[in-house]
Amino acid sequence: MTNKVKLSILGISFSQVQAGAYALIFAEETGIRRLPIVIGTPEAQSIAIVMENMTPPRPLAHDLMYNIFKSLNIELLEVFIYKFEEGAFFAELVLRQNNREFRIDSRTSDAVAIALRTNSPIFTTEYIMQNMAIVFDEKDVLSNDLQNKDMETDISENIEEIQIEALKKRLEEAIENEDYELATKLRDEINRRENTENG
């Protein structure tokens, strides 16, 4: 059986690495690892509305799903982020209706937006945490102002030319500065290269 890690949402950070995107930052409930997942603007807004206890004038798509679940007596047991492949996280909704259980494939951002509305738990695998998570020393500080923008711009434009040892050193610096966006980009590039070498 897959070892599951329960996640909580630490916050949403505007992405200055990927235009028009946001980073959804998860924290494991019993540890110091953080899992950043890049999501689109509409999904970020839908998640932020719930986190900030706001009510849109008309139901959003995720509100509609929530209303359908309520009307049809469908319970969202959990969201399970079970795989990372080719730059994307894969998730599923674990649903129950009339004592029958269903597993429905979903984009991670959509699954999280619905989970927030139903107060359902979110899990991932220990394998994903070991390979994709980043360890931050501070408890729960989210910095929206990146502290090393010049370095970030340089890395964004020339990341494929930087030696892997230098990337790892810059990853350590990004983690020290709590630069989630840069750390995520560096981590992905390091993993890509190591997977290429091992493959």
Side-chain angles (χ1 to χ4, degrees):
M1 184 173 177
T2 303
N3 289 331
K4 286 186 177 181
V5 178
K6 191 173 183 180
L7 301 173
S8 59
I9 298 176
L10 190 60
I12 298 175
S13 173
F14 182 70
S15 175
Q16 297 190 28
V17 173
Q18 185 171 331
Y22 290 78
L24 178 60
I25 312 297
F26 292 98
E28 61 178 335
E29 289 204 336
T30 57
I32 59 173
R33 293 177 294 183
R34 305 289 181 255
L35 182 65
I37 295 181
V38 175
I39 62 175
T41 299
E43 294 76 25
Q45 292 174 339
S46 181
I47 290 169
I49 282 173
V50 179
M51 293 176 65
E52 297 172 11
N53 296 314
M54 298 170 60
T55 303
R58 296 291 296 152
L60 302 176
H62 301 117
D63 298 316
L64 175 62
M65 288 299 301
Y66 171 61
N67 291 334
I68 290 172
F69 285 3
K70 282 200 304 182
S71 297
L72 299 181
N73 195 29
I74 297 172
E75 181 184 3
L76 177 56
L77 300 177
E78 68 178 58
V79 164
F80 184 36
I81 304 169
Y82 64 91
K83 182 173 69 171
F84 179 82
E85 186 175 277
E86 296 182 358
F89 287 89
F90 289 72
E92 62 182 7
L93 304 172
V94 182
L95 306 170
R96 182 168 59 201
Q97 183 187 41
N98 299 328
N99 294 321
R100 292 182 61 195
E101 191 171 298
F102 305 88
R103 292 179 176 267
I104 308 297
D105 185 48
S106 171
R107 293 191 308 173
T108 299
S109 55
D110 291 328
V112 170
I114 296 171
L116 281 175
R117 286 161 169 79
T118 58
N119 294 313
S120 303
I122 302 169
F123 296 92
T124 190
T125 67
E126 177 60 30
Y127 179 82
I128 285 177
M129 294 301 290
Q130 288 180 359
N131 288 276
M132 304 305 298
I134 300 168
V135 177
F136 285 84
D137 293 330
E138 297 295 326
K139 288 184 288 185
D140 58 1
V141 178
L142 259 182
S143 174
N144 290 323
D145 296 323
L146 300 178
Q147 299 180 28
N148 286 312
K149 292 181 180 178
D150 291 341
M151 183 175 73
E152 178 185 292
T153 301
D154 176 61
I155 289 174
S156 297
E157 294 175 352
N158 306 293
I159 192 165
E160 294 185 357
E161 300 174 6
I162 300 173
Q163 296 295 320
I164 192 166
E165 291 79 10
L167 288 178
K168 289 180 177 179
K169 185 175 188 307
R170 293 191 182 188
L171 175 58
E172 292 177 5
E173 293 172 355
I175 289 173
E176 287 177 7
N177 293 327
E178 295 191 353
D179 188 336
Y180 288 88
E181 294 304 318
L182 182 56
T184 301
K185 190 174 184 68
L186 291 166
R187 175 206 65 191
D188 290 347
E189 177 65 15
I190 291 168
N191 286 342
R192 184 188 69 79
R193 292 196 198 179
E194 289 180 342
N195 289 337
T196 301
E197 291 173 3
N198 295 333

